[in-house]
Amino acid sequence: MASIRKEIPLAASPEAVWDVVRDVGALATRFAPGFVVDVQMEPGARLVTFGNGMVVRETIVDLDETARRLVYSVASERLTHHNASFQVLAEGSGSRLVWLADVLPDTAAANLDAMMEEGAAAAKRALDELSA
């Protein structure tokens, strides 16, 4: 199983970053505008449209307020397994967002890694604005 990890250092406080991450319907407006262009909420899930036109259904697995951790999973005909999480950690005067994804088949990892890299850059731009 391929595991992908992105660590995003942020100037904003963990509380401010968590407020955005926990807002599961605001990917296109608060978390990663441009990378995500639309989100439609469903009971226990969100239908996410990315800037490249890809649409996926993400099941919200857990929202842990104490650990500041959001876990979600994608069901897809191209993936036999996908589980991912965001966790917001305090770091110095700012924070660090840790994004993990485990995926099968391993051959899907290169594409997912590229998408996560683009998503991490969009999230950093949006979340760093919280400290301005």
Side-chain angles (χ1 to χ4, degrees):
M1 179 176 315
S3 292
I4 304 164
R5 181 181 187 100
K6 303 293 178 194
E7 294 199 24
I8 308 161
L10 300 164
S13 72
E15 296 79 14
V17 173
W18 176 242
D19 184 61
V20 173
V21 172
R22 71 178 306 284
D23 189 356
V24 297
L27 289 173
T29 57
R30 298 180 70 198
F31 183 76
F35 176 67
V36 174
V37 296
D38 188 52
V39 175
Q40 299 296 316
M41 294 304 297
E42 301 175 350
R46 58 190 179 192
L47 195 62
V48 179
T49 303
F50 295 93
N52 65 6
M54 180 185 294
V55 179
V56 298
R57 183 176 188 276
E58 296 180 346
T59 300
I60 306 303
V61 176
D62 188 36
L63 186 70
D64 184 332
E65 297 285 349
T66 303
R68 290 191 208 110
R69 184 171 181 258
L70 168 66
V71 180
Y72 66 97
S73 179
V74 172
S76 164
E77 64 281 350
R78 293 173 292 203
L79 302 175
T80 57
H81 175 83
H82 175 279
N83 193 73
S85 66
F86 289 105
Q87 187 165 18
V88 181
L89 306 170
E91 183 172 275
S93 62
S95 58
R96 177 170 296 273
L97 180 63
V98 178
W99 186 5
L100 303 172
D102 296 323
V103 64
L104 285 172
D106 290 345
T107 55
N111 287 338
L112 182 59
D113 184 59
M115 283 193 71
M116 287 175 64
E117 193 67 32
E118 185 180 344
K124 180 163 180 57
R125 284 189 300 274
L127 296 170
D128 272 347
E129 289 183 13
L130 297 172
S131 67

